[in-house]
Amino acid sequence: SCLGDLEAEAEIIKGYLFNAPSDELLKPLFLKLGQLHEELGQFAQKQVSLENEYQSAITELKAIKTEHDNLFNEKIQFDKQNVQVQLALKAQKVLEEYLELSRAEKINDFKENFLECFNLLIGKQNMVGNANISPSNFNIELLSPMGIPIAKSELSAGERQIYAMAMIWGLAKTSSRALPFIIDTPLGRFDSDHRNNVLENFLSNASHQMIIFSTNTEVDKPYFNQLKPYIAKAYNLEYDSSEGKTVVKEGYFWDILEGNN
């Protein structure tokens, strides 16, 4: 019956109670249990701390991965740009080599043109046989036919004028361009031989268009008549002291004077 079952269960519980260990035996166990609970709490806190560290590490790992991906993409772009830079450097090197060769060729062309122009104007045989031109600063050193340097200080005033004319003429010929010339008193420092050379070779041949500023004693009637086939226009610049200005009249000196007579 139910009552009998309850009585039997009560007897079993009484047995457990009578068989329970004493407090002296349980006290160390309870102390150990408390210690274990305390350690369990510490482990729980440590677990939470480790989980937080783990989450932080996951977040940091994601950030590092993102940075890695960005750096990888930047590296790809850098590699592409580096290839372009290397190609540009190679192209620049090729251009520099081309410019060096072109400069050497142009210097050689100018030297030949300069020597030709100088010898045409100087009119002295065997004065200059060659010239050295520096590729760095383009200084010109004249050499005699024997290869002996000719100092520019050894040249007369007229020869230095011819040197300057020959340089300009040589540059114009080397450029292969139709360049106009403007020259002031071109015959002032020359003797008669040099004047004839300049008239025959330079003033009539150096350019398709040449503007000459001269005096009537420099380019006189014989010289003017010698140049006349090459002259398109002649003007006289006469200073009017009463007006305080220069008056431009068409014609050369004696043409104007003869026209006023």
Side-chain angles (χ1 to χ4, degrees):
S1 67
C2 292
L3 180 59
D5 294 336
L6 291 173
E7 288 177 351
E9 186 176 353
E11 289 298 328
I12 292 172
I13 292 172
K14 286 180 181 179
Y16 288 154
L17 291 174
F18 285 116
N19 292 328
S22 63
D23 291 340
E24 293 179 357
L25 291 175
L26 292 174
K27 184 176 180 180
L29 295 176
F30 281 117
L31 291 174
K32 183 66 175 178
L33 181 61
Q35 183 180 356
L36 291 175
H37 275 294
E38 184 177 350
E39 292 179 359
L40 180 62
Q42 293 175 354
F43 283 125
Q45 292 179 355
K46 190 172 183 180
Q47 181 182 6
V48 172
S49 177
L50 290 174
E51 287 178 351
N52 291 334
E53 291 179 5
Y54 172 76
Q55 293 299 326
S56 298
I58 291 295
T59 302
E60 186 177 356
L61 180 61
K62 290 180 179 179
I64 292 173
K65 186 177 183 305
T66 301
E67 185 177 359
H68 171 269
D69 293 341
N70 292 335
L71 291 174
F72 183 76
N73 292 331
E74 289 179 6
K75 182 180 181 301
I76 292 175
Q77 295 299 321
F78 174 79
D79 291 341
K80 291 181 180 178
Q81 293 176 359
N82 189 47
V83 170
Q84 294 174 351
V85 169
Q86 295 301 321
L87 291 175
L89 291 175
K90 290 180 180 179
Q92 182 178 359
K93 185 178 180 181
V94 171
L95 286 175
E96 289 175 353
E97 292 174 355
Y98 170 77
L99 288 174
E100 186 175 351
L101 293 174
S102 178
R103 185 185 298 114
E105 184 178 352
K106 282 293 184 182
I107 288 175
N108 187 64
D109 291 343
F110 169 73
K111 182 181 76 171
E112 293 179 358
N113 289 327
F114 169 78
L115 290 173
E116 179 186 0
C117 296
F118 184 85
N119 288 323
L120 280 173
L121 296 175
I122 199 69
K124 295 181 180 180
Q125 298 297 325
N126 299 324
M127 178 180 175
V128 175
N130 204 346
N132 289 330
I133 302 177
S134 171
S136 58
N137 55 19
F138 304 106
N139 284 337
I140 301 176
E141 180 186 44
L142 301 179
L143 301 174
S144 70
M146 302 298 294
I148 300 173
I150 302 172
K152 295 182 181 68
S153 59
E154 298 176 9
L155 302 177
S156 66
E159 288 169 344
R160 286 196 293 271
Q161 180 81 5
I162 285 176
Y163 176 89
M165 285 183 174
M167 181 178 294
I168 296 172
W169 193 4
L171 287 170
K173 292 183 69 173
T174 305
S175 69
S176 300
R177 296 181 179 180
L179 300 174
F181 274 74
I182 301 176
I183 185 166
D184 187 17
T185 56
L187 306 178
R189 297 182 178 181
F190 297 141
D191 56 26
S192 59
D193 290 337
H194 284 152
R195 286 191 176 194
N196 287 329
N197 288 330
V198 171
L199 282 169
E200 293 174 3
N201 298 309
F202 183 74
L203 296 183
S204 58
N205 294 315
S207 174
H208 72 293
Q209 183 182 39
M210 183 171 292
I211 300 173
I212 302 171
F213 293 94
S214 64
T215 64
N216 59 341
T217 58
E218 180 187 13
V219 179
D220 54 16
K221 280 189 177 183
Y223 286 145
F224 184 82
N225 291 331
Q226 188 175 345
L227 288 173
K228 199 168 185 178
Y230 308 100
I231 297 175
K233 286 286 185 180
Y235 298 93
N236 184 273
L237 306 180
E238 183 178 340
Y239 181 72
D240 188 342
S241 58
S242 62
E243 296 289 336
K245 64 181 181 179
T246 298
V247 179
V248 180
K249 298 180 180 179
E250 188 170 348
Y252 208 52
F253 293 94
W254 47 84
D255 291 333
I256 296 172
L257 293 176
E258 291 171 357
N260 291 336
N261 290 335

